[in-house]
Amino acid sequence: MIQNSELILNPDGSVYHLNLRPEHIAHDIIFVGDQNRVEKITQFFDSIEYSTQKREFKTQTGIYKGKRISVMSTGIGPDNIDIVINELDALVNIDFETRQPKENLTSLNIIRIGTSGSLQTDIPVDSFVMSKFGLGLDNMLRSYLIDDVSNADIEEAFIKHTNWDARKGKPYAIACSEKLAKIIESDQMFKGITATAGGFYGPQGRVLRLNIQDEELNSKMDNFNFDEQRITNLEMETAAIYGLSALLGHNALSLNAIIANRASGTFSEDPYKAVDALIAYTLDKLAGN
């Protein structure tokens, strides 16, 4: 039996942070970081059956071209992903009455639609990137037993290539869901490895008033190549989503609209247009159009 202190429920029976009960979510879920982006997606829905928000976690569930879909804001960073995916899994795979895991487990389909900065000059602003792997630089997933789902060869190659400082914790590499990749991919998508940082400034190589441990890390990532897979972009959620989803038996895929190019120092003239285009593309793919 899972103790009350480990799985916390609100008085109405909803999970603590997400404020959701099992009937409130679809099996196809779109993640966004920004709570204000939820309605930018659900505005295309034919109908909305449920809406809720607690803190930065906003969820709307509805129908798009006959497909039931939930859209959820996760906030920023791997720590928030730890909350969101564990509570989503609890909604479908733990019986709240007995507080026991269910015998028959449910696999959710989770697609992240995010914004990111490209690390490669040939991946321009306003393009789309599909993350074939998430490379976690954040250390959150190392709290779990991940050897069965991580790619040790990529990890060791990256550590060697970057002369990674072991004091920062060991990077981890997790593959996307091939099932979802086949549904979403097209020649519109760049593909590669997405690096996930645990912060926005120093962890992503930005220097304001603080010096950072490795000033050359971004340039090392630029030219890392493993089995013809490059590091295409750098953000703050993908590897955590892939890792927890793989551990819990869910399908996960991360898509990014590239709004900045760190290599060339450029920024999209209309980042909202790029994000809207990726939203429309993803919804139609999910609905089978």
Side-chain angles (χ1 to χ4, degrees):
M1 180 177 174
I2 300 169
Q3 298 298 313
N4 291 349
S5 59
E6 310 307 292
L7 174 61
I8 304 169
L9 301 180
N10 296 312
D12 66 354
S14 62
V15 286
Y16 182 65
H17 295 91
L18 301 185
N19 210 38
L20 295 167
R21 295 196 301 269
E23 66 269 21
H24 294 152
I25 62 165
H27 287 178
D28 292 279
I29 301 172
I30 293 174
F31 281 178
V32 294
D34 183 358
Q35 56 195 312
N36 294 321
R37 199 175 292 158
V38 171
E39 290 181 349
K40 288 185 178 295
I41 297 178
T42 60
Q43 67 178 331
F44 297 107
F45 282 17
D46 303 312
S47 61
I48 295 173
E49 67 182 64
Y50 186 77
S51 298
T52 191
Q53 180 168 2
K54 184 177 180 182
R55 304 183 188 182
E56 63 266 53
F57 307 114
K58 181 174 182 175
T59 303
Q60 291 191 327
T61 296
I63 303 296
Y64 177 80
K65 295 184 178 178
K67 185 82 166 179
R68 189 170 186 251
I69 300 172
S70 293
V71 183
M72 175 180 296
S73 61
T74 64
I76 300 173
D79 50 345
N80 274 24
I81 297 302
D82 185 54
I83 291 171
V84 170
I85 292 188
N86 273 293
E87 291 195 3
L88 278 176
D89 180 75
L91 285 169
V92 294
N93 288 322
I94 295 175
D95 186 318
F96 287 0
E97 295 297 323
T98 65
R99 303 186 74 86
Q100 297 278 7
K102 296 179 180 177
E103 289 187 16
N104 297 315
L105 300 179
T106 296
S107 292
L108 299 171
N109 297 319
I110 298 168
I111 297 180
R112 177 181 184 267
I113 297 179
T115 57
S116 184
S118 168
L119 295 178
Q120 305 293 340
T121 54
D122 63 325
I123 301 178
V125 294
D126 302 327
S127 61
F128 302 158
V129 166
M130 173 188 289
S131 308
K132 296 292 286 184
F133 286 91
L135 178 64
L137 313 180
D138 58 281
N139 217 35
M140 182 278 289
L141 203 71
R142 290 288 176 191
S143 296
Y144 300 94
L145 301 173
I146 68 171
D147 288 352
D148 289 343
V149 300
S150 61
N151 188 309
D153 292 338
I154 293 179
E155 294 165 5
E156 294 304 324
F158 180 78
I159 289 167
K160 181 178 180 181
H161 178 80
T162 59
N163 192 27
W164 186 260
D165 190 328
R167 290 173 296 179
K168 295 195 293 186
K170 186 178 180 180
Y172 59 92
I174 315 285
C176 73
S177 162
E178 286 300 324
K179 171 189 169 183
L180 290 182
K182 288 176 181 177
I183 293 171
I184 299 296
E185 65 186 353
S186 75
D187 57 9
Q188 290 182 250
M189 289 280 174
F190 288 91
K191 300 174 188 176
I193 300 170
T194 292
T196 295
F200 183 77
Y201 288 96
Q204 294 191 35
R206 292 181 172 93
V207 176
L208 302 183
R209 290 203 314 116
L210 295 175
N211 292 328
I212 57 177
Q213 182 270 327
D214 186 353
E215 294 180 353
E216 305 301 320
L217 181 58
N218 278 17
S219 61
K220 294 174 188 175
M221 290 196 293
D222 291 348
N223 55 42
F224 176 72
N225 192 304
F226 182 87
D227 197 20
E228 300 185 356
Q229 297 274 2
R230 301 178 300 167
I231 297 179
T232 52
N233 61 312
L234 179 60
E235 47 80 272
M236 294 178 63
E237 287 84 29
T238 293
I241 293 170
Y242 283 10
L244 287 172
S245 296
L247 288 170
L248 290 166
H250 304 297
N251 302 299
L253 186 67
S254 180
L255 308 174
N256 278 280
I258 299 300
I259 62 170
N261 188 296
R262 300 288 298 278
S264 62
T266 56
F267 192 83
S268 173
E269 293 183 2
D270 190 351
Y272 297 108
K273 182 178 179 181
V275 173
D276 287 346
L278 182 56
I279 289 169
Y281 174 95
T282 305
L283 284 174
D284 281 339
K285 288 287 190 179
L286 268 180
N289 297 305

